[in-house]
């Protein structure tokens, strides 16, 4: 395999400042593990963030599953993110017209744009969704990931859809930083690929979630960052498990990919 650019080299190609910072963080912290912190109380999120923060590059939240969300919680999470140096990604999966997503992103109860470095969106409504989110997020130094493909069984995001997602991203390189995807879509070094549906053993859950191994996600499918939820959260020793995923994602595979 020819030598690929490393993350530090790719930072030069990013047109979004947060993407540049993320590339630098990946390179310096030497972890391409993102924790999907899918728990239902703020204290659990904070505890996992404190425990696993040193191992991860990005902590992914679903704040609408928290039973006790507050802006005070957000302040605490931001402090932990600064201390352990990781970015916060709210997995909101926006999917509406530009005007509506602007409000969903900036206002409501969650004020997502005030604290989430990264959010994601489906491109089903067309480019207006990206314009709307960008009106809120761009001047706050935020970045957007587009869902190009999904991990769940029989989903409708086929290869043609993924191709269209890439084309739409290319229209907004100052705000779109990359993709939630199962596979790399192009060799353009500016795009960051994050892959959910990852566990140390491939398989699936009872509701159609499908898992690939870190090796497959990174080496075979060309992803940059693995997103792991229950594989870590449900382990007897989550810290030890996170270290295993970190090693699987970086030491074993990423460095090999560089050769
Ligand atoms: O295609 C996708 C996209 C996402 S963002 N498949 C996913 O599973 N996700 C999210 O990744 C999902 O919402 C969940 O938060 C996480 C996977 O969690 P796990 O427990 O299955 O690892």
């Amino acid at each position: 395999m020819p030598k690929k650019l490393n993350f530090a080299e790719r930072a030069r190609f990013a047109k979004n400042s947060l993407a540049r910072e993320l590339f630098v963080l990946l390179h310096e912290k030497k972890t391409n593990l993102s924790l999907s912190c899918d728990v239902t109380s703020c204290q659990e999120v904070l505890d996992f963030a404190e425990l696993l923060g040193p191992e991860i590059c990005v902590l992914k939240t679903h704040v609408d599953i928290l039973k006790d969300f507050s802006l005070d919680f957000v302040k605490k999470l931001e402090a932990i993110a600064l201390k352990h140096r990781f970015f916060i990604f709210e997995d909101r999966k926006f999917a509406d017209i530009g005007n509506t997503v602007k409000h969903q992103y900036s206002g409501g109860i969650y004020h997502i744009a005030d604290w989430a470095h990264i959010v994601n969106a489906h491109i089903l409504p067309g480019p207006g969704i990206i314009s709307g989110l960008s009106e809120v997020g761009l001047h706050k130094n935020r970045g957007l990931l587009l869902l190009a493909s999904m991990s769940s069984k029989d989903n409708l995001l086929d290869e043609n859809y993924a191709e269209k997602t890439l084309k739409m991203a290319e229209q907004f390189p100052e705000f779109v930083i990359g993709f939630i995807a199962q596979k790399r879509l192009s060799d353009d070094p500016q795009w960051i690929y994050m892959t959910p549906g990852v566990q140390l053993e491939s398989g699936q859950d009872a509701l159609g979630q499908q898992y690939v191994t870190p090796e497959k996600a990174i080496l075979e499918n060309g992803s940059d960052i693995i997103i792991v939820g229950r594989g870590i959260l449900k382990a007897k020793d989550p810290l030890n498990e996170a270290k295993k995923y970190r090693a699987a994602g970086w030491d074993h595979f990423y460095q090999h990919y560089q050769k």
Side-chain angles (χ1 to χ4, degrees):
M1 194 185 288
K3 187 183 182 302
K4 296 274 176 12
L5 297 172
N6 68 32
F7 287 133
E9 290 162 336
R10 284 170 61 189
R12 285 186 287 120
F13 294 87
K15 295 174 186 72
N16 167 290
S17 56
L18 181 89
R20 275 194 293 278
E21 288 171 33
L22 179 54
F23 276 128
V24 170
L25 184 149
L26 288 163
H27 182 74
E28 291 180 358
K29 197 169 172 184
K30 297 191 175 12
T31 170
N32 56 350
L33 172 63
S34 168
L35 174 70
S36 183
C37 203
D38 300 335
V39 288
T40 53
S41 75
C42 293
Q43 194 54 50
E44 284 175 283
V45 175
L46 297 174
D47 290 347
F48 275 122
E50 190 62 73
L51 180 71
L52 305 178
E55 308 300 327
I56 62 174
C57 56
V58 172
L59 184 141
K60 187 173 82 58
T61 53
H62 278 297
V63 283
D64 55 0
I65 67 173
L66 292 172
K67 59 186 173 211
D68 53 354
F69 177 85
S70 70
L71 292 174
D72 180 52
F73 152 74
V74 166
K75 295 236 160 0
K76 290 181 181 152
L77 183 59
E78 282 179 312
I80 298 172
L82 264 182
K83 179 165 82 173
H84 292 309
R85 199 174 175 208
F86 59 80
F87 287 113
I88 304 171
F89 164 21
E90 167 56 21
D91 186 1
R92 174 62 179 76
K93 297 188 182 72
F94 294 105
D96 215 318
I97 61 165
N99 186 56
T100 301
V101 296
K102 264 175 76 172
H103 290 294
Q104 291 171 326
Y105 188 21
S106 63
I109 297 169
Y110 303 115
H111 297 272
I112 294 168
D114 287 346
W115 51 266
H117 303 102
I118 303 167
V119 290
N120 55 357
H122 287 292
I123 52 108
L124 284 166
I129 187 170
I130 307 178
S131 306
L133 293 169
S134 138
E135 278 185 22
V136 174
L138 194 55
H139 72 276
K140 290 180 184 277
N141 187 25
R142 306 306 189 202
L144 175 68
L145 294 165
L146 301 181
L147 282 116
S149 53
M150 292 195 73
S151 59
S152 43
K153 194 166 188 289
D154 295 335
N155 71 75
L156 305 181
L157 283 65
D158 60 13
E159 280 188 17
N160 181 36
Y161 183 94
E163 196 53 41
K164 287 185 173 159
T165 313
L166 174 63
K167 292 272 168 303
M168 220 179 276
E170 285 165 352
Q171 295 172 42
F172 299 90
E174 70 295 338
F175 190 51
V176 175
I177 64 170
F179 305 93
I180 295 289
Q182 294 296 304
K183 279 199 179 117
R184 178 171 292 273
L185 304 170
S186 88
D187 284 332
D188 186 336
Q190 73 175 303
W191 305 123
I192 297 167
Y193 290 86
M194 295 186 63
T195 298
V198 174
Q199 286 201 349
L200 291 173
E201 304 283 327
S202 56
Q204 55 182 13
D205 75 4
L207 296 172
Q209 172 70 306
Q210 304 175 116
Y211 293 108
V212 295
T213 61
E215 176 174 19
K216 180 158 180 165
I218 291 173
L219 275 184
E220 217 174 289
N221 295 345
S223 187
D224 296 316
I225 295 174
I226 51 171
I227 300 177
V228 181
R230 285 166 287 175
I232 292 172
L233 300 173
K234 301 282 185 208
K236 276 208 184 75
D237 182 345
L239 177 57
N240 192 41
E241 206 66 10
K243 286 180 197 280
K244 280 194 215 163
Y245 277 96
R246 178 182 188 172
W250 188 278
D251 298 344
H252 300 171
F253 301 126
Y254 182 72
Q255 293 198 353
H256 174 73
Y257 182 62
Q258 295 292 296
K259 284 178 193 142

